């Protein structure tokens, strides 16, 4: 029987892009959050005299050769394990391709988990993170799950306390998935063009990378990391987690006012999403992707809701990664359903799928990953 692994997706809460680097990548600062929507990656593996990796998928757009993230990951993992094996993988695609939800990256992490389980072997945590980073900037986050800070080119990851809203760490989320694929490398190139071409460059260059990094540091602290075991994976965890949050007095006051309370530490532990959103986080990719696809901007507005109904408005809505998927986060299921309705009933000139889901904290991520 194959090991069936749920390959969950991610959204980005705030994403700042730095200058292009000599290696072709960009510095990046983001807060990844895993969500419950997922593909399913089924893995069968047995030791053999020679390695053979067979990949199949229900979606013909998924490459089944060495270009597949799963193939890249398994090749590296088997080499590190010093094992030869016949491996068969079936990728049941539910998530969009080029959707900005990290689906292909998550497939690679899921395949690694499945391979280890099938062979009864486990790689050292540092090795897993290293080969994950080689496969793609978005892969390491899926070896941690929950709320994860990403830096460098996105592959340096750090577990941070779960995002909370009214004490809950599983937050109602609406994903809107337009039938548009956005190429990530192209979106980075568009960003560069916008900020190097004087004709396109309308506003002074802002150090959004530095600004967002400082926001994250003020919210999550910059404490030492330690390796702890959690679920199926060892993870890097913030040693200050527990009550967890380290917020400036100004932010604490702002949040207290928002809630009509003066207590800060309890409020912050219970409402860290609000604290984060009130710092003004943004996704830099919106500046270039919305110019090219104005319909995506219109979808974001519908996800956000109207100022005349502040109570049911989204807490936050944004493009995920480089898109094309967008998401909204809500106080209640009813608010999320209302947002789903708004998006479904509007005409954006392109087909849009809309899903109700929830953010997936680290504990649930690992607990529910293996489908029985
Ligand atoms: C946009 C995000 O999804 C945000 O979470 C990620 O940054 C993308 O991560 P990913 O799909 O795993 O990207 P990779 O496979 O590592 O890189 C694909 C291409 O995107 C560009 N790229 C990616 C990440 C980064 N920090 N800077 C870049 O310029 C590079 O051209 C690279 O060749
Ligand atoms: N396992 C895979 N699933 C889907 N696409 C894959 C996979 N492996 C390689 N690819 C290729 O990678 C490209 C982008 O895949 P993916 O769906 O991960 O994009 P994405 O959702 O935009 O990811 P990100 O959020 O990391 O930008 C596709 O065009 C596809 O050709």
């Amino acid at each position: 029987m194959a090991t069936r692994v749920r390959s969950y997706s991610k959204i980005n809460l705030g994403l700042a892009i730095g200058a292009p680097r000599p290696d072709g990548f960009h510095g990046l600062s983001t807060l990844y959050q895993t969500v419950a929507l997922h593909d399913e990656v089924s893995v069968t593996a047995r030791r053999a005299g020679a390695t053979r990796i067979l990949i199949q998928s229900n979606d013909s757009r998924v490459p089944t050769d060495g270009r597949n993230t799963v193939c890249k990951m398994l090749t590296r993992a088997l080499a590190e394990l010093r094992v030869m094996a016949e491996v068969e993988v079936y990728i049941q695609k539910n998530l969009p391709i080029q959707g900005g939800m990290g689906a292909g990256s998550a497939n690679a992490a899921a395949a690694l988990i499945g391979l280890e389980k099938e062979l009864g072997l486990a790689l050292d945590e540092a090795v897993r993170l290293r080969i994950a980073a080689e496969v793609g900037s978005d892969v390491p986050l899926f070896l941690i799950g929950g709320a994860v800070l990403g830096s460098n080119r996105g592959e340096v990851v750090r577990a941070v306390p779960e995002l909370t809203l009214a004490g809950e760490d599983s937050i109602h989320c609406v994903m809107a998935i337009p039938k548009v694929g956005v190429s990530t490398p192209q979106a980075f190139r568009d960003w560069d063009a916008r900020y190097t071409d004087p004709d396109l460059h309308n506003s002074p260059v802002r150090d959004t990378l530095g600004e967002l990094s400082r926001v994250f540091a003020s919210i999550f602290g910059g404490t030492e990391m330690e390796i702890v075991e959690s679920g199926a994976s060892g993870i890097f965890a913030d040693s200050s987690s527990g009550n967890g949050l380290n917020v400036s007095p100004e932010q604490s006051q702002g949040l207290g006012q928002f809630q009509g309370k003066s207590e800060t530490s309890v409020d912050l532990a219970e409402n860290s999403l609000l604290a984060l959103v009130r710092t003004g986080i943004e996704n830099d990719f919106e500046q270039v992707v919305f110019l090219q696809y104005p319909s995506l901007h219109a979808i974001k507005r519908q996800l956000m809701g109207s100022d005349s109904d502040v109570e049911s408005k989204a807490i936050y809505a944004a493009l995920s990664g480089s898109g094309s998927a967008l998401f909204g986060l809500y106080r209640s299921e009813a608010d999320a359903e209302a947002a789903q309705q708004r998006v479904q009933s509007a005409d954006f000139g392109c087909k849009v799928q809309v899903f109700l889901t929830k953010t997936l904290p680290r504990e649930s991520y690992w607990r529910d990953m293996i489908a029985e």
Side-chain angles (χ1 to χ4, degrees):
M1 268 262 285
T3 300
R4 289 163 50 211
V5 187
R6 294 193 178 98
S7 176
Y8 293 111
S9 52
K10 61 85 179 165
I11 52 178
N12 300 79
L13 282 108
L15 191 158
I17 307 169
R21 310 189 319 194
D23 64 2
F25 286 88
H26 293 70
L28 192 141
S29 179
T30 190
L31 179 64
Y32 302 109
Q33 169 66 57
T34 48
V35 295
L37 282 185
H38 58 273
D39 291 336
E40 191 176 286
V41 176
S42 301
V43 184
T44 332
R46 57 187 166 79
R47 288 173 191 247
T51 287
R52 193 176 64 97
I53 298 169
L54 177 70
I55 298 174
Q56 293 176 294
S57 174
N58 63 321
D59 189 326
S60 59
R61 292 167 303 169
V62 173
T64 53
D65 55 15
R67 288 170 300 166
N68 196 298
T69 53
V70 165
C71 190
K72 290 179 190 171
M73 178 62 106
L74 294 182
T75 306
R76 284 170 172 78
L78 288 169
E80 293 289 345
L81 289 166
R82 296 177 204 283
V83 166
M84 289 196 280
E86 288 193 353
V87 191
E88 290 181 19
V89 181
Y90 186 81
I91 306 171
Q92 172 70 40
K93 271 282 162 201
N94 308 317
L95 299 167
I97 291 173
Q98 292 194 325
M101 298 171 74
S105 308
N107 291 170
L112 173 63
I113 309 289
L115 179 78
E116 289 186 338
K117 192 152 188 295
E118 283 280 298
L119 295 178
L121 297 169
L123 280 171
D124 184 73
E125 191 56 33
V127 175
R128 298 166 112 219
L129 287 167
R130 173 169 55 75
I131 60 174
E134 286 168 13
V135 174
S137 313
D138 266 354
V139 183
L141 87 99
F142 291 107
L143 294 176
I144 294 188
V148 181
L149 274 186
S151 57
N152 201 32
R153 64 176 163 87
E155 92 291 11
V156 172
V157 285
R158 180 180 145 206
V160 292
E162 300 297 350
L163 285 179
T164 53
L165 187 62
E168 296 291 330
D169 60 9
S170 179
I171 299 164
H172 295 283
C173 176
V174 175
M175 293 293 327
I177 304 177
K179 266 239 171 305
V180 174
V182 177
S183 152
T184 299
Q186 186 58 49
F188 276 109
R189 281 194 291 273
D190 292 346
W191 173 265
D192 293 341
R194 185 167 169 79
Y195 286 97
T196 50
D197 184 338
D199 294 335
L200 293 171
H201 185 187
N202 302 320
S203 54
V205 181
R206 278 178 56 202
D207 173 20
T208 60
L209 185 62
E211 285 173 25
L212 191 61
S213 302
R214 282 189 287 279
V215 162
F216 288 146
S218 74
I219 298 266
F220 298 113
T223 54
E224 284 179 40
M225 291 178 282
E226 60 186 19
I227 294 178
V228 295
E229 287 298 316
S230 167
S233 171
I235 58 167
F236 285 100
D238 185 331
S239 58
S240 75
S241 57
N243 191 12
L245 294 162
N246 173 14
V247 179
S248 69
E250 301 80 59
Q251 286 162 348
S252 303
Q253 198 186 18
L255 188 63
Q257 283 167 356
F258 187 82
Q259 295 182 302
K261 293 181 189 171
S262 59
E263 304 94 316
T264 54
S265 60
V266 172
D267 291 344
L268 287 166
E270 293 199 343
N271 288 295
S272 59
L273 174 64
L274 288 179
L276 182 65
V277 168
R278 288 171 65 81
T279 63
I281 52 168
E282 284 176 7
N283 179 347
D284 281 347
F285 277 120
E286 290 184 357
Q287 293 186 39
V288 286
V289 175
F290 285 174
L291 271 183
Q292 200 178 352
Y293 303 100
S295 57
L296 301 192
H297 197 183
I299 295 170
K300 173 177 166 175
R301 283 194 288 266
Q302 290 298 341
L303 283 169
M304 199 66 218
S306 160
D307 278 340
S308 62
D309 195 359
V310 178
E311 281 303 305
S312 68
K313 265 187 77 172
I315 302 288
Y316 185 66
L319 188 72
S320 183
S322 52
S324 62
L326 298 114
F327 67 91
L329 297 172
Y330 303 87
R331 289 182 180 78
S332 70
E333 193 169 5
D335 293 350
E337 282 170 355
Q340 182 186 34
Q341 278 296 321
R342 284 196 299 274
V343 177
Q344 274 169 344
S345 53
D347 180 6
F348 302 104
C350 64
K351 198 163 178 283
V352 187
Q353 286 178 292
V354 199
F355 297 98
L356 286 178
T357 185
K358 291 186 99 174
T359 63
L360 195 61
R362 197 165 305 121
E363 196 191 346
S364 319
Y365 180 84
W366 289 108
R367 188 193 59 216
D368 301 336
M369 178 173 281
I370 306 293
E372 298 305 339

